[in-house]
Amino acid sequence: MSKFMNINLKNYQEKAVGELIATFKTLLTKEEQKKVCVFQAPTGSGKTLMTAKFIEEIIREVPEMDLCFVWISIGKGELHLQSKHALERIFGGAPRVSLVEEEFTGGRERIVRNEVVVVNWEKLRSKVRETGDWKNILMKDGEKLNFRDVLYKTREQRKVIMIIDESHIGATAERTNELRDEINADVILEMSATPRITPDPRDLARGTAGYVFVEPKDVIDEGMIKKELIINEKIDEITDDEADSQEVVLQTAYKKRFELKKLFEKEKTNINPLVLVQIPTAEAGEDKIKAVRKFLADKGITERKDGTGNGKLAIWLSEQKSETLDWVSESDNEIEFLIFKQAIDTGWDCPRAHILVKFRESHSETFEIQTVGRILRMPEQKHYASEDLNRGYIYTNVQSIIVKKEEYNPNIIKHLKAVRKEVYMPIKLTSYYKSRADYGDITSSFTPVFEKTACEHFDLKGDHTMFAQNVVKVEKEGVILDVKKYQQDIIANAKIEGTTFDEIEGKIDSAARARLTIAGNDLQALFEQIIKERLGSFKNVKRSVPAVKTAIYTWFRKYLGSKAWPEEMILVQMVLAHNGNRKIFEEILASAIETYKAVREKEILKRVEESEQFYDFEIEKESFFNQHTDERVEHEKFVYEPCYLSASRLNPEKNFEKFLTENSEKIVWWWKNGENKQDYFGIKYEYPVGVIHTFYPDYLVQLTDGRIGIIETKDMGDRDGGNYTKAKAEKLQEYIKEQKGKKLFGGIAIEKSDGWKINQKEKYDWNKCEKNDWSDWEKLDLE
C-alpha cells in the first residue's frame, strides 16, 4: 500500500467528524473527570478513519487547549499495531503516533502535546494473582518511570483524551472501571458498532456526556458496505441426490464465487472474490478441513506447499499470525477459499471477501456478527451495476438459524425467502437508476495533471530516474531544497502601555522578530492552508485537500527522490512552505488546478454516463427478508409467496393494501416497491430543473384486463410535499405516455371518506382535489 493516503471522506463521515468535534468542544470545557462520548458506527463505516480525522480537526479547532491522546486497543492479537499503522498513513507525519512499548520504557516523562500513544491494554493489565502486582515492566514500580507515572505527569500539563477502539470487546464493568482509573482521562471516546454502554440522558442534557451515531443506511448508500446479506440463496437448485448437506453448501458457494468473478470481469475490475469457510472448533473441525480440502481439490483448488499446488486455497488457524491475512486481503490475491477455525480478529479488513460458508457447530447455531462482518465491506467502496455484487452471501448447513439482533443494523441479514408466483408474466418496464457522480472535489486524477504542470515548469521532461539532475534543475529555478527545519518569524518585544490600553486599535507590531522552528502540526496546517487557498471552484475542501497532498508527495518522490529523505513528508511540507519557495509552488498549484477543471468535467460526465442506466425492469424471481424488520402478512394477490412487507409501512400504504385485498377479484398480482436499489422500479425526474432524482412509486398492480397500475400513495394531510410530489406526478404521466404499446395507468392515490381517489392529470394540482382532477377508483373498473 502506498505511504500516501488519498482520503476523501464520505458525506456521513464528514458529518460524524463534525459532530464529534462539536461534542468534544463542550465536554472539554466541563470540570468533571472521565466524561464519556459514545461513538456508534456500523462495521465497515471507517471508524478508525473518522476518529483519526476527528483528532486532526480537534487539534486545529481548539489550538488554545493542550491535548494528547491515548488510543486503547482491547483484546488479544495485533489490533494495536494495525491501528498505529493506519493512523500514521492517515496523519501523514503529524500528529506523532507512538507505541507505548517502544517509547515509554523509562526514558520519557510525559506524552507530548498532540501526541497519540497506542496501547494494547491486554498486554499491560496483567497482574500477579497472589499479590496484585503488575506483571508488565511498563506498569511496575521501580527505578525508572512506569507508564502510570508518565500518565500522572502528563495530566499535570495537559488534558488526556482516551479513545477505546472496539470498546464492546470483553466489555465488563471491571474492565471499564480499570481503564478509567488507570488512565484517568479528561474525556473518554468509546467507539464501537455495538457499544455496551449508553450515556445517561441527564448527562447528555447537561453536556457532560456525548453520543454520536452513524446511520447504517448512510453507509450503505455511500457504497461502503453491502446492501444486504443473503442466506442459502439458490441452495435448493442443487439436485444431486447423492450429495450431503455439507457438499451442497460447498457446491453452491463454489458456483456463486464463479458467478461473482464473471460479474467483476464484466465491470472491468480485477477483484478476485474470496470465500471464507468457517469450520467447527471442536474435534470435528479436523474432519471438516479434510472434507473441504478434498472437495476443493476435485475442483482444482489446492494449497501451495513444498513447490506443489496452485495456491488458491489457504488455511488460517488460531495459532497463526495475522500477517498471512493481510496478504490475503489484496484485491487480486490468488487465494479463492480461506478456511479458518475461530472468528477472525476484529480489525482485519478483506473487502474482497464476498461469501461465508459456516458449518454446523454442535453447541450453537448462532451467527457471530464479528464473523459476518468480514463479508460486509465493498471491495472498491462503491456499489456496482450488477446488484449481485452489492450483496454478501452466507451458506450454511444448519436446519434453522438464530441471528443475533444488532441494534445498530438489524436489517443487514436477510434469510426469509419468498418466491415469485407463476401468474407473473414479463412486464419489461423501462426503469432508471443512477448513483451520485459529483461531490465538488478534486480526486486522484489530479496527480498526473500536477505532475505534468510541475515538470513543464522546471523542464524535467518526465525523466524521473535521474534524481540528481532533476534536483539541479529545480534549484536553478530558485527552489531551496536543503531545508533542515522550517522557521517562522514571530513578533518579539512588543509593548502595550497600560495607560493607553483602552485606546488600542488596529495592528500591534514590533521591529523585533524571533525566529523559531515551527511545530509539526502547525507546519502541516500551513501546508494545507496553502493548498486550500488555491482550490478555486472546488468547494469541497475536506475531500480535495488529501488528493492534492497526495499529488505533491508523489511528484517529490517520483522526480526528486524524496523517498530517501529522512521524515519525508515533513521535509516536503517544509520545502513547499518555505518563504523562498512558496510563491513558485503556489503558481504551479494554481495552474494545475485550472488545467484540472476540464479533466474533472470530463470525469464527471463519464461517471454520470456510467452510473445512469435505463433497463428493462422485471420483479425478481425470489426476494429475501429479515425477521426483525419485515412482517409476514396474508395478502392473496401479492406477487411473492409468502408475503413479507416492511413492518414500518405508513398507514396510507397499509390502507391501500387492504383496498387491494378487498378488490382481489379484479387483480392478478400486486407488488410493493422499494428505494435506492436496482432491483426496484425507478423513474427519472427533475426538481428543480436540471437536478436529477429517481422516483420510486409505491406499488405496481396488474389488473385482470391486462393493465398495469403505477401507484404512489399519499396521505390527505400531505399538501404537495414541497413540489416534489408535483414533479413526480407529472413525470409519471409523461412516462406512461412514453411507454408505447404497454397498457399502463397510474398516478397519485389518496383515501377520502368516500373511497380511494387517483389523480391522472398531466398537470398536477393538489388544491383541485375537491374538483375534477381526482377520479374515483370505480371509473378504473376496480369496484
Side-chain angles (χ1 to χ4, degrees):
M1 181 180 286
S2 170
K3 182 177 181 180
F4 310 125
M5 287 193 74
N6 180 14
I7 301 169
N8 290 323
L9 292 185
K10 303 288 188 179
N11 288 340
Y12 74 84
Q13 292 173 332
E14 290 181 9
K15 180 185 175 191
V17 171
E19 290 179 8
L20 285 171
I21 292 166
T23 300
F24 270 74
K25 279 184 176 179
T26 300
L27 293 176
L28 287 166
T29 62
K30 303 296 182 179
E31 293 299 322
E32 293 88 345
Q33 284 292 109
K34 306 175 187 176
K35 301 175 286 289
V36 175
C37 175
V38 174
F39 178 31
Q40 183 173 358
T43 299
S45 60
K47 289 187 290 295
T48 299
L49 172 60
M50 288 185 278
T51 307
K53 285 297 175 184
F54 153 71
I55 292 172
E56 286 185 335
E57 293 296 325
I58 197 71
I59 289 171
R60 292 191 186 97
E61 294 269 346
V62 288
E64 71 280 3
M65 283 194 180
D66 195 341
L67 304 173
C68 68
F69 306 85
V70 179
W71 185 290
I72 302 289
S73 291
I74 304 295
K76 299 174 182 178
E78 305 299 328
L79 179 59
H80 67 301
L81 296 180
Q82 295 175 34
S83 298
K84 178 178 184 287
H85 296 150
L87 291 170
E88 287 174 330
R89 288 196 300 270
I90 295 166
F91 291 151
R96 174 181 181 179
V97 185
S98 307
L99 276 180
V100 66
E101 60 262 35
E102 292 178 355
E103 297 282 342
F104 296 94
T105 54
R108 287 180 56 185
E109 288 191 347
R110 292 179 179 86
I111 302 170
V112 301
R113 181 170 185 163
N114 299 335
E115 183 177 10
V116 181
V117 177
V118 180
V119 177
N120 183 327
W121 188 246
E122 299 306 317
K123 291 186 177 180
L124 292 189
R125 70 189 292 257
S126 298
K127 292 182 178 180
V128 179
R129 183 177 298 177
E130 293 77 15
T131 63
D133 294 334
W134 297 94
K135 287 184 179 180
N136 195 307
I137 192 171
L138 286 163
M139 303 294 282
K140 281 183 178 180
D141 292 321
E143 296 179 6
K144 295 182 178 181
L145 287 174
N146 59 42
F147 188 56
R148 291 179 293 124
D149 297 328
V150 169
L151 289 168
Y152 178 81
K153 288 183 173 291
T154 299
R155 287 192 294 268
E156 292 177 338
Q157 288 193 358
R158 56 188 50 94
K159 292 181 181 291
V160 177
I161 294 176
M162 178 171 67
I163 299 163
I164 307 178
D165 190 6
E166 304 290 358
S167 64
H168 62 279
I169 300 175
T172 62
E174 178 186 3
R175 193 219 64 191
T176 300
N177 292 332
E178 180 184 73
L179 273 170
R180 291 181 180 183
D181 291 343
E182 296 301 336
I183 306 297
N184 196 23
D186 293 87
V187 188
I188 301 166
L189 178 63
E190 297 231 10
M191 51 187 282
S192 172
T194 53
R196 298 292 179 88
I197 65 167
T198 304
D200 189 313
R202 292 169 296 183
D203 293 334
L204 289 171
R206 287 194 296 264
T208 56
Y211 179 64
V212 176
F213 175 71
V214 174
E215 286 282 356
K217 183 179 182 299
D218 294 339
V219 183
I220 293 172
D221 289 348
E222 290 279 8
M224 292 289 284
I225 62 178
K226 294 182 175 72
K227 295 181 180 181
E228 57 193 15
L229 303 180
I230 306 299
I231 297 178
N232 285 347
E233 183 204 40
K234 298 181 180 177
I235 202 163
D236 52 350
E237 294 180 9
I238 301 293
T239 57
D240 186 352
D241 293 336
E242 299 300 318
D244 59 23
S245 65
Q246 179 177 284
E247 289 180 53
V248 169
V249 164
L250 287 170
Q251 179 67 22
T252 316
Y254 173 82
K255 286 179 64 178
K256 176 54 71 174
R257 201 208 77 83
F258 185 78
E259 290 173 14
L260 295 176
K261 178 61 176 170
K262 291 296 182 185
L263 289 173
F264 276 122
E265 290 171 358
K266 189 176 179 181
E267 295 277 350
K268 295 182 172 56
T269 186
N270 196 28
I271 304 296
N272 189 25
L274 176 68
V275 180
L276 301 177
V277 183
Q278 184 176 21
I279 60 173
T281 54
E283 291 180 8
E286 293 303 318
D287 294 334
K288 281 285 189 288
I289 291 178
K290 291 177 184 176
V292 174
R293 268 197 179 118
K294 182 181 184 306
F295 173 86
L296 293 176
D298 291 342
K299 303 289 186 183
I301 298 170
T302 56
E303 293 174 89
R304 180 175 285 113
K305 279 187 176 182
D306 303 323
T308 63
N310 58 23
K312 293 182 179 181
L313 168 65
I315 298 178
W316 185 87
L317 303 176
S318 57
E319 60 268 18
Q320 292 177 268
K321 298 295 182 182
S322 59
E323 285 80 2
T324 306
L325 291 177
D326 290 339
W327 175 55
V328 172
S329 301
E330 296 168 2
S331 61
D332 60 349
N333 184 270
E334 63 186 354
I335 295 173
E336 298 175 357
F337 285 76
L338 174 67
I339 298 173
F340 64 99
K341 262 194 177 182
Q342 63 177 30
I344 299 176
D345 283 348
T346 299
W348 178 65
D349 272 349
C350 185
R352 74 181 183 96
H354 224 108
I355 299 169
L356 171 65
V357 172
K358 180 179 170 63
F359 291 117
R360 182 188 295 111
E361 295 273 1
S362 58
H363 61 281
S364 173
E365 293 179 353
T366 301
F367 279 86
E368 296 177 22
I369 200 66
Q370 179 181 335
T371 304
V372 173
R374 303 285 74 83
I375 62 169
L376 269 180
R377 292 167 174 80
M378 290 300 294
E380 296 179 293
Q381 296 189 358
K382 68 174 186 179
H383 290 145
Y384 299 98
S386 171
E387 282 296 327
D388 279 359
L389 295 178
N390 303 327
R391 301 182 178 109
Y393 300 89
I394 300 171
Y395 295 101
T396 178
N397 64 346
V398 298
Q399 291 180 347
S400 60
I401 65 171
I402 303 165
V403 181
K404 290 182 181 177
K405 183 177 179 182
E406 296 298 334
E407 295 298 330
Y408 78 97
N409 198 2
N411 66 339
I412 196 67
I413 298 177
K414 299 187 177 182
H415 62 285
L416 303 174
K417 180 179 177 180
V419 179
R420 195 181 68 195
K421 294 176 180 176
E422 292 184 3
V423 295
Y424 176 90
M425 295 295 156
I427 55 177
K428 285 193 176 180
L429 292 181
T430 301
S431 185
Y432 174 76
Y433 178 82
K434 79 173 184 71
S435 55
R436 188 172 178 179
D438 182 18
Y439 292 88
D441 61 339
I442 292 173
T443 69
S444 58
S445 58
F446 178 69
T447 295
V449 176
F450 180 83
E451 182 179 313
K452 185 173 184 291
T453 306
C455 287
E456 287 176 353
H457 183 93
F458 296 113
D459 193 29
L460 299 188
K461 299 185 185 302
D463 188 359
H464 58 270
T465 61
M466 304 171 68
F467 295 144
Q469 290 90 328
N470 288 344
V471 166
V472 170
K473 285 184 177 182
V474 170
E475 288 181 331
K476 277 185 178 179
E477 292 292 319
V479 174
I480 301 166
L481 293 175
D482 188 17
V483 182
K484 301 301 181 190
K485 57 185 178 181
Y486 183 72
Q487 295 187 315
Q488 60 184 160
D489 289 332
I490 297 176
I491 188 172
N493 301 323
K495 274 188 183 178
I496 299 174
E497 296 291 343
T499 54
T500 59
F501 182 81
D502 292 330
E503 300 168 18
I504 293 173
E505 184 178 358
K507 184 179 179 182
I508 300 171
D509 209 344
S510 169
R513 289 286 186 271
R515 290 191 63 78
L516 301 175
T517 300
I518 191 169
N521 57 301
D522 290 337
L523 173 62
Q524 178 156 295
L526 176 61
F527 176 60
E528 292 182 356
Q529 187 59 37
I530 293 169
I531 294 171
K532 290 175 186 176
E533 290 171 357
R534 295 292 175 276
L535 291 179
S537 60
F538 295 98
K539 301 301 182 186
N540 196 323
V541 173
K542 287 186 177 179
R543 294 172 71 97
S544 298
V545 169
V548 177
K549 286 166 64 176
T550 297
I552 293 169
Y553 291 142
T554 301
W555 182 80
F556 270 86
R557 174 176 279 195
K558 189 173 179 180
Y559 293 94
L560 301 182
S562 64
K563 186 176 182 179
W565 298 359
E567 296 186 303
E568 177 186 4
M569 283 181 279
I570 292 174
L571 282 178
V572 170
Q573 293 169 13
M574 287 181 179
V575 170
L576 192 131
H578 190 281
N579 287 337
N581 302 335
R582 180 168 174 173
K583 187 175 180 182
I584 297 171
F585 283 105
E586 283 179 338
E587 290 176 359
I588 293 171
L589 193 54
S591 176
I593 287 175
E594 187 63 32
T595 302
Y596 180 66
K597 288 179 183 177
V599 175
R600 184 66 175 134
E601 285 175 8
K602 289 180 182 177
E603 192 177 65
I604 291 168
L605 283 174
K606 183 181 178 185
R607 197 179 283 182
V608 168
E609 290 170 2
E610 290 175 348
S611 68
E612 193 174 55
Q613 300 170 56
F614 291 91
Y615 57 96
D616 287 341
F617 172 79
E618 299 290 349
I619 296 173
E620 295 284 334
K621 290 181 180 179
E622 55 186 33
S623 190
F624 293 84
F625 301 87
N626 176 269
Q627 69 188 71
H628 301 298
T629 59
D630 301 310
E631 61 180 354
R632 184 165 176 168
V633 188
E634 294 303 322
H635 283 299
E636 179 189 353
K637 294 300 176 74
F638 188 65
V639 74
Y640 285 116
E641 179 62 41
C643 173
Y644 291 106
L645 293 168
S646 169
S648 60
R649 301 187 319 290
L650 301 175
N651 282 332
E653 295 171 330
K654 291 180 179 179
N655 292 342
F656 184 68
E657 290 159 10
K658 181 182 177 184
F659 170 76
L660 293 176
T661 298
E662 291 170 351
N663 291 274
S664 61
E665 73 278 2
K666 302 285 188 179
I667 296 171
V668 179
W669 57 259
W670 63 269
W671 176 68
K672 179 73 174 72
N673 198 16
E675 290 186 357
N676 298 322
K677 284 172 59 176
Q678 275 186 286
D679 47 7
Y680 294 140
F681 171 62
I683 297 173
K684 180 180 180 180
Y685 79 102
E686 295 185 15
Y687 184 78
V689 176
V691 180
I692 296 172
H693 305 277
T694 308
F695 166 36
Y696 295 95
D698 289 330
Y699 296 92
L700 295 182
V701 182
Q702 173 142 49
L703 305 184
T704 53
D705 64 8
R707 285 180 297 160
I708 294 177
I710 305 173
I711 310 299
E712 174 77 357
T713 57
K714 290 292 176 184
D715 189 274
M716 271 296 295
D718 184 351
R719 298 282 176 181
D720 202 340
N723 284 327
Y724 280 95
T725 301
K726 176 178 173 63
K728 291 176 182 178
E730 293 176 359
K731 184 61 189 179
L732 176 54
Q733 298 310 315
E734 282 182 36
Y735 174 87
I736 290 171
K737 283 188 174 182
E738 290 166 357
Q739 300 298 299
K740 305 296 184 185
K742 291 188 170 63
K743 297 170 68 175
L744 302 179
F745 73 95
I748 306 299
I750 59 171
E751 185 181 26
K752 295 186 68 180
S753 59
D754 59 343
W756 279 89
K757 312 288 182 180
I758 184 169
N759 188 305
Q760 299 184 88
K761 298 295 183 182
E762 291 183 8
K763 295 297 179 183
Y764 177 85
D765 186 348
W766 181 279
N767 292 320
K768 293 182 179 179
C769 64
E770 298 297 333
K771 301 180 182 178
N772 298 324
D773 279 10
W774 295 81
S775 304
D776 291 331
W777 276 87
E778 59 260 22
K779 294 180 181 179
L780 298 173
D781 201 23
L782 259 183
E783 59 180 15

